[in-house]
Amino acid sequence: MAALSAGGKKEGLTMGIQSKAIAAAIGIACATSAAQAEGYWGVALDVSKATSEVPSFGNYEHDKIVPGIAVVLGNRINSGNFFYGYEASASITLNGDFDECSGFNPAPALCKQAANLRVVGVVGQQMGEYDVYGKLGYGAVFGDFAVSPFSVDSGNVKGLTIGLGTSRQLNDATKLFGEVIYDAYRNSGGQPGGYVSNYDSINLRLGVMRSF
């Protein structure tokens, strides 16, 4: 009888563990099905106030208002009212000439900005027809840098990019969005001549995105 009782307890314990495992598997399956992934793309007008600073020249710096057009491509996973994902964007500069580089160029200041590329993670929350989200990632600005007082060469400077944004649903597939993005680029590995300069910008972006 004692052996039978022990066997019954063991069988009951095994069944309990199996039941919990099945319940956990069902819970994971439900959570996975509840999280829905969607891709999206977008276009936007953006304007940034950019600063190129040269610490080795007594903190020499110059500013530029840089207009551009941004192209955005990303993927987002919706889970209840929250979402997360990743995104790549390219801001193509329309007029990136810094006036201070038209003559004497204190190397290695940025003389002409061509594009600003960013890869970021995105986390946010849905609030009715609106989404509120934050971005954090890595970016690089490409263009022409001074390498001597009267000559330039192409290169880039890289670093941190962070942003805040909101979007409003227009229909099932289309949203209007606006963002503020701050870039703090410090990596000198891509600058010509082994020079070092810093790049900061505050970027305002307004555009339309569509899911697919």
Side-chain angles (χ1 to χ4, degrees):
M1 292 292 292
L4 182 60
S5 177
K9 289 181 179 179
K10 185 176 180 180
E11 183 179 354
L13 180 61
T14 302
M15 292 182 63
I17 293 174
Q18 290 176 345
S19 298
K20 290 179 179 179
I22 293 172
I26 293 173
I28 293 172
C30 290
T32 303
S33 62
Q36 299 177 344
E38 65 178 25
Y40 62 90
W41 63 273
V43 292
L45 297 175
D46 64 29
V47 178
S48 67
K49 182 178 185 297
T51 300
S52 180
E53 179 185 26
V54 186
S56 58
F57 282 81
N59 289 327
Y60 169 84
E61 68 177 39
H62 55 260
D63 299 326
K64 169 70 176 179
I65 301 299
V66 183
I69 297 176
V71 179
V72 177
L73 181 64
N75 188 69
R76 119 178 197 168
I77 299 172
N78 299 306
S79 181
N81 290 329
F82 294 92
F83 61 89
Y84 57 93
Y86 53 88
E87 179 184 287
S89 67
S91 295
I92 309 302
T93 303
L94 298 179
N95 177 18
D97 290 320
F98 286 81
D99 295 336
E100 289 83 351
C101 287
S102 58
F104 179 79
N105 305 325
L110 178 63
C111 293
K112 183 176 182 180
Q113 179 175 327
N116 197 339
L117 308 183
R118 304 177 181 93
V119 178
V120 298
V122 183
V123 177
Q125 182 175 5
Q126 301 175 21
M127 299 180 178
E129 296 180 343
Y130 293 88
D131 292 339
V132 178
Y133 53 87
K135 298 181 176 183
L136 178 64
Y138 193 70
V141 65
F142 295 81
D144 293 333
F145 293 80
V147 293
S148 68
F150 295 99
S151 65
V152 299
D153 197 1
S154 60
N156 63 79
V157 59
K158 303 175 285 290
L160 176 71
T161 183
I162 185 171
L164 293 174
T166 184
S167 64
R168 184 182 187 279
Q169 198 81 36
L170 297 180
N171 56 46
D172 290 342
T174 308
K175 294 179 181 179
L176 179 68
F177 71 96
E179 299 174 347
V180 178
I181 301 171
Y182 173 64
D183 299 319
Y185 298 161
R186 301 290 184 268
N187 188 315
S188 61
Q191 293 185 236
Y195 291 111
V196 177
S197 69
N198 299 331
Y199 176 90
D200 294 90
S201 72
I202 297 176
N203 192 85
L204 301 178
R205 181 182 287 177
L206 180 64
V208 176
M209 68 174 69
R210 288 184 60 86
S211 59
F212 60 85

